Amino acid sequence: MNSGDDKTGIENIESMIDQAIDDLFVPSGGASKADPAQMAKVEAEPPQEEPDEAVDMDIAWGNDDKEEAVDFSEVVEAGDSEGAPSLDILRPLHEALLSLDWEINLHNIDALDEEYKRLGAMTQDNMHAQNAVKMASVCCKYLRASKSLASPLALKFLKTTLDSLDIFLRPPAPNLPSKDALVNEMMGLYNEMKLDANRLRAAALKKREAKGFTTTQQKSAATTAAPSSTSSADLRSELAHVKRTLRDLVELVDKIERALV
Amino acid sequence: MSFLDLSKREVHVKIVYYGPGRGGKTTNLLHIHEAMTDAVRGQMVSIDTKQDRTLFFDFLPLSIGKIFGFDIRIQLFTVPGQVIYNATRKLVLKGVDGVAFVADSQVSQREKNIESLENLRDNLADIGVDISKIPLVLQFNKQDLAAEGIPLLSEADMVSDLNSVYNVPCFNASALTGEGVFETLREISKTTVKSVARKLMPSLTSGMT
Ligand SMILES: Nc1nc2c(ncn2[C@@H]2O[C@H](COP(=O)(O)OP(=O)(O)O)[C@@H](O)[C@H]2O)c(=O)[nH]1
Ligand SMILES: [Mg+2]
């Protein structure tokens, strides 16, 4: 209060702030690399949850003839497939897919898979829908094996499948796009996804050969607070971590609020 | 709401990196963490699922030094993108002073960017903050993917999708290589610290000896 002369104006402070930040946040090319020990990594998931390498992602795609055996003979006209599904029956599936799209984790994969099962049971008389659900289920299996290391085409495939289902499950009407064209698009994507998955897997295999298991070892070394139990996919421990962190965060927010009063 | 500790002469400023899941928020913070010296950075805390995405949030405190005898600390947070964690996002937003919105420039992510920005606006409104009044910068991340033949949204499209209303500074970036990361951080830090300083001005000057 005793230094309240004109120099302490806001402009002065602002230029000091600019200066301090310019001096500080310079993208320094020769910046020191982070010491892994500096990182307080809290693993909220048992290590087994995630495949260490894409090599663990090998799943049975089914024989290639299987797709040919799929009956796509029925030809019906369909409509606009943009955006969210128009059919109520597909809403839960859409939501599950959105969740998975935000975060690929076991919980979200299971939820989506459940939705496909439910839908499959409800649409047994619809050949197109049945085939779409079948392929989507294989895709879920792939996601479960590869999680966030999965080919990005997997989600694209699921999204396309949802759009297609939105047409397949509508009553026949004029001005709808051809179901055959949709099936072709789905099949094309499905095959692309398979190729990409195999490509990723081959690349990961090569990497593993070159590196041995160092990656795995480094990963666990960087873990300072891994859960003691490395048993199965343990959602409970994940939730416990989340709870604890939430509590800490709430406390932090409270502290800040108290300090402001 | 920033935090001013007169006795310790500290000002805490909270900046949240917001955006769709997988957009590159954590990667931004990792790059910042790696590039800063120990004198500036604190310990980065990541709560994750051992996947490459944030389940919960990341936290990185930075100290920008003394201004007018006050220690200015910047706390960087990220939020989880996934829909089911909206409650967490709201919690992390509580007391926010500035937001860096990290958008994914891939054509396939167009809707998600828009959705996430709307979600930011709604969540801020819920805690009584008008998005057009809070320091905000946009980052168009993953520019490097163009070189791999992955279709990216043009800058014009990104601007018309995300910035036609707010008209805030935008930065092209590739958090993976670090390009644009510090430009984004610098801009959001400046505008945020200044806006906090303006609010705290009376206390700051009266707290001086
Ligand atoms: N090619 C590329 N990949 C990026 C970039 N930024 C992030 N990623 C990748 O995108 C994925 C998600 O990034 P992350 O920072 O975890 O996203 P968050 O969910 O917003 O925190 C990771 O695999 C990153 O390596 C970028 O600028 N370019
Ligand atoms: Mg993250």
Side-chain angles (χ1 to χ4, degrees), chain B residues 19-28 52-54 58 78-79 81 141-145 148 173-177:
Chain B
R22 294 215 68 139
K25 300 176 291 293
T26 300
T27 310
N28 263 273
D52 59 351
R53 278 186 291 169
T54 312
D58 311 295
T78 72
V79 293
N141 192 32
K142 305 201 183 179
Q143 293 295 324
D144 59 297
L145 288 177
E148 292 180 32
S174 171
L176 212 54
T177 63

Side-chain angles (χ1 to χ4, degrees), chain A residues 198-246:
Chain A
N198 288 334
R199 188 187 56 75
L200 284 172
R201 185 168 181 269
L205 266 171
K206 227 173 172 177
K207 208 171 108 193
R208 176 180 277 191
E209 263 167 35
K211 288 212 292 186
F213 289 94
T214 43
T215 320
T216 322
Q217 280 157 9
Q218 278 162 6
K219 267 188 185 170
S220 34
T223 301
T224 56
S228 50
S229 157
T230 52
S231 58
S232 60
D234 191 354
L235 272 173
R236 265 176 206 285
S237 92
E238 183 173 324
L239 275 177
H241 276 282
V242 169
K243 262 191 192 159
R244 227 172 298 143
T245 318
L246 245 184

Side-chain angles (χ1 to χ4, degrees), chain A residues 173-204:
Chain A
N175 305 327
L176 296 184
S178 134
K179 285 190 183 177
D180 274 357
L182 293 174
V183 165
N184 280 340
E185 195 190 343
M186 262 168 52
M187 292 299 303
L189 257 176
Y190 187 81
N191 288 328
E192 272 179 50
M193 168 177 72
K194 244 166 57 175
L195 286 176
D196 199 43
N198 288 334
R199 188 187 56 75
L200 284 172
R201 185 168 181 269

Side-chain angles (χ1 to χ4, degrees), chain A residues 1-3 7-10 12-14 16-18 20-22 24-28 31-34 38-45 47 50 52 98-105 108 147-148 219 238 242 245-246 249-250 252-253 256-257 259-260, chain B residues 1-3 20-22 30 33-36 38 40-41 43-57 62-64 67-68 74 77 81-84 91-92 94 112 115-116 182 185-186 189-190 193-194 197-198 201 205-206 208-209:
Chain A
M1 66 209 290
N2 50 349
S3 56
K7 285 270 175 205
T8 46
I10 190 73
N12 198 0
I13 293 191
E14 289 193 350
M16 286 172 89
I17 290 168
D18 279 344
I21 289 170
D22 280 336
L24 196 69
F25 298 156
V26 185
S28 49
S32 63
K33 276 278 163 194
Q38 282 272 343
M39 301 271 299
K41 272 264 172 193
V42 183
E43 300 290 355
E45 207 171 15
E50 185 76 1
D52 286 317
L98 268 182
S99 291
L100 186 71
D101 202 17
W102 288 101
E103 177 80 21
I104 300 174
N105 61 34
N108 289 345
K147 297 211 187 58
S148 59
K219 267 188 185 170
E238 183 173 324
V242 169
T245 318
L246 245 184
L249 190 62
V250 171
L252 180 76
V253 171
I256 293 173
E257 278 186 336
L260 282 168
Chain B
M1 221 173 314
S2 43
F3 167 43
R22 294 215 68 139
L30 282 171
H33 182 267
E34 284 180 13
M36 302 305 283
D38 286 347
V40 174
R41 69 177 184 204
Q43 193 176 55
M44 175 156 170
V45 181
S46 254
I47 312 291
D48 69 15
T49 52
K50 207 174 191 307
Q51 301 178 17
D52 59 351
R53 278 186 291 169
T54 312
L55 169 67
F56 219 56
F57 64 89
L62 300 171
S63 174
I64 71 166
I67 293 176
F68 270 53
I74 296 182
F77 283 83
Q82 60 274 29
V83 173
I84 52 170
L91 201 58
V92 175
K94 226 176 154 189
K112 276 171 65 176
E115 236 173 75
S116 179
F182 276 92
L185 175 65
R186 217 166 23 226
S189 298
K190 281 184 186 177
V193 175
K194 281 189 225 172
R198 243 171 274 132
M201 187 68 182
T205 44
S206 70
M208 287 178 56
T209 43

Side-chain angles (χ1 to χ4, degrees), chain B residues 153-177:
Chain B
L153 291 158
S154 71
E155 203 176 314
D157 281 343
M158 298 285 277
V159 167
S160 93
D161 280 357
L162 308 171
N163 205 24
S164 55
V165 179
Y166 307 127
N167 216 345
V168 295
C170 303
F171 299 91
N172 281 327
S174 171
L176 212 54
T177 63

